[in-house]
Amino acid sequence: MLDSPAAESEDAAAWEAFNGAIAAARAELMAAAPDAGTAIEAEAYLMRVAASALGDGFLGDHFRSGGLTRAIPTRGGPNPDYIMGHAAIDPARRYRLEGRLNDSERAGVGLYAVGADGKVLLAGYAAFDRSKVDADGGFRLDLAADAEGPGGLAIPPNGRVLIVRLLHRSAGAPCCLSFSGGAAPPPLTPATGTTAGALTLAGRTLLASVRQFLVWSALIGEARNRFITPPERIAEEVQGDPDTGYYFAYYDLAPGEWLEALMPPAVTGYWSLHAYNHWCESLPSAGTHDLSARADADGRIRVRIGPDAPADLVNRVDTLGRRRGVLIYRTLGETQTRIPEAAVRNREA
């Protein structure tokens, strides 16, 4: 059935608004780029964010499995050790999430509220590891406004999104999940039911995301070659999982230099250090963690970061030609604030 003239007019206006969002985001990125190379990279970054926003609006059925939509890790300093999925939540409905860990280490389940500015903030949380599943690795979680107890997660009135993060660092089978209770839209239907609505949402998401991580890049960029706790302005946004510790640095290296990060001693459980470009996009294979890092002769773990880090050193994180960008050090379950030490090195030092 063809759209009515009114719907066609709404679609045209939504397209114009979406193109306007891209133009505004591009102008802000270009103004914030610290050098020509970073500005060039911003063009591709913007298109990846745009593609992801459009995918949320128009390709959900292609990325959906078991009631969850696979998240595309295009923005916001994503953790490469995670597989992520999400679903829209209605506080008036009842849902059930069932899973089996298989060869994954952990499943973190978060409920989030979406603010007027498009930012996503934590509103409820549950996690499952080997100590919290049955003998076959299975688990179940009921979600509703009145859900309670260890097998339930209460949906607050402003809860709008469910996000599941699977910690998976194995070549084996990842955790399988089944989420029921929501009404899946028919195939080839825009997320909001109309083209204009989905385009409008995509434009808002794109612009809010770019602006949010422009702030991240600017604030983290002040911590040149040193690690810090999350700046106050972004601390709430950073906290995707309540039991994850986040620490940031900005590597800024001259030719021949690399950054050496000395990991805190005696950290138990999961930790990771990953490198990103200036726009907080993850760099492929640019990271290490508690399962892959090797200690030096003195028993301490040192991570060498940058394009010129010598190949004969262990725990080398190649930033793929980039001399500036973001670093994120994460821990799970650590109760103490222990920040990595960092120092710029070269062959003469």
Side-chain angles (χ1 to χ4, degrees):
M1 181 176 179
L2 296 176
D3 287 341
S4 67
E8 291 178 2
S9 178
E10 290 178 2
D11 291 349
W15 268 116
E16 185 174 351
F18 182 77
N19 290 332
I22 291 180
R26 183 177 184 275
E28 293 177 27
L29 287 167
M30 293 300 105
D35 56 42
T38 308
I40 291 171
E41 192 163 34
E43 302 278 14
Y45 161 61
L46 174 57
M47 295 317 298
R48 282 188 285 269
V49 175
S52 180
L54 288 171
D56 290 342
F58 296 95
L59 294 173
D61 52 314
H62 293 284
F63 294 113
R64 192 174 295 112
S65 176
L68 294 171
T69 300
R70 177 74 176 267
I72 306 174
T74 55
R75 53 195 187 267
N79 186 343
D81 297 330
Y82 282 169
I83 300 171
M84 296 177 60
H86 60 88
I89 293 293
D90 180 350
R93 298 183 68 108
R94 308 186 72 86
Y95 303 89
R96 173 169 290 176
L97 178 70
E98 297 179 279
R100 191 172 306 281
L101 276 182
N102 293 328
D103 295 307
S104 297
E105 299 168 59
R106 186 178 189 269
V109 184
L111 283 172
Y112 298 85
V114 180
D117 55 2
K119 294 177 182 177
V120 179
L121 301 176
L122 182 66
Y125 189 77
F128 300 91
D129 57 19
R130 297 294 170 192
S131 69
K132 296 181 179 179
V133 297
D134 62 27
D136 294 325
F139 60 89
R140 187 180 76 185
L141 185 68
D142 291 316
L143 302 94
D146 59 354
E148 58 184 8
L153 191 60
I155 305 176
N158 60 347
R160 293 294 181 270
V161 181
L162 173 80
I163 300 178
V164 181
R165 294 174 173 87
L166 305 178
L167 177 57
H168 187 77
R169 298 179 288 176
S170 165
C175 175
C176 61
L177 296 168
S178 175
F179 183 65
S180 58
L188 304 182
T189 301
T192 62
T194 67
T195 299
L199 273 173
T200 299
L201 180 61
R204 289 174 181 168
T205 300
L206 179 153
L207 200 52
S209 180
V210 166
R211 287 174 173 168
Q212 181 178 14
F213 297 109
L214 275 174
V215 174
W216 282 41
S217 296
L219 291 176
I220 298 170
E222 297 176 4
R224 295 184 180 275
N225 299 322
R226 62 186 177 91
F227 282 87
I228 59 171
T229 56
E232 182 177 355
R233 184 174 172 185
I234 64 173
E236 191 176 26
E237 300 170 8
V238 166
Q239 200 66 53
D241 293 313
D243 52 358
T244 302
Y246 298 88
Y247 306 91
F248 297 104
Y250 191 88
Y251 59 95
D252 187 7
L253 305 167
E257 293 180 341
W258 67 91
L259 189 67
E260 182 177 276
L262 178 64
M263 298 294 97
V267 174
T268 59
Y270 173 85
W271 66 262
S272 65
L273 176 59
H274 291 287
Y276 302 79
N277 65 13
H278 176 81
W279 308 115
C280 300
E281 287 189 291
S282 178
L283 301 177
S285 303
T288 189
H289 49 62
D290 56 288
L291 299 183
S292 62
R294 295 162 50 195
D296 288 338
D298 62 359
R300 298 295 299 275
I301 294 175
R302 294 172 178 84
V303 181
R304 286 83 179 193
I305 303 141
D308 294 334
D312 60 327
L313 297 179
V314 298
N315 308 324
R316 180 174 179 267
V317 173
D318 186 354
T319 54
L320 308 180
R322 294 162 182 82
R323 301 191 183 280
R324 65 168 78 230
V326 170
L327 299 171
I328 303 180
Y329 170 65
R330 295 175 173 90
T331 61
L332 268 177
E334 279 287 303
T335 58
Q336 299 181 34
T337 299
R338 294 190 288 178
I339 304 176
E341 300 174 23
V344 175
R345 305 293 190 197
N346 58 52
R347 281 299 192 186
E348 286 70 42

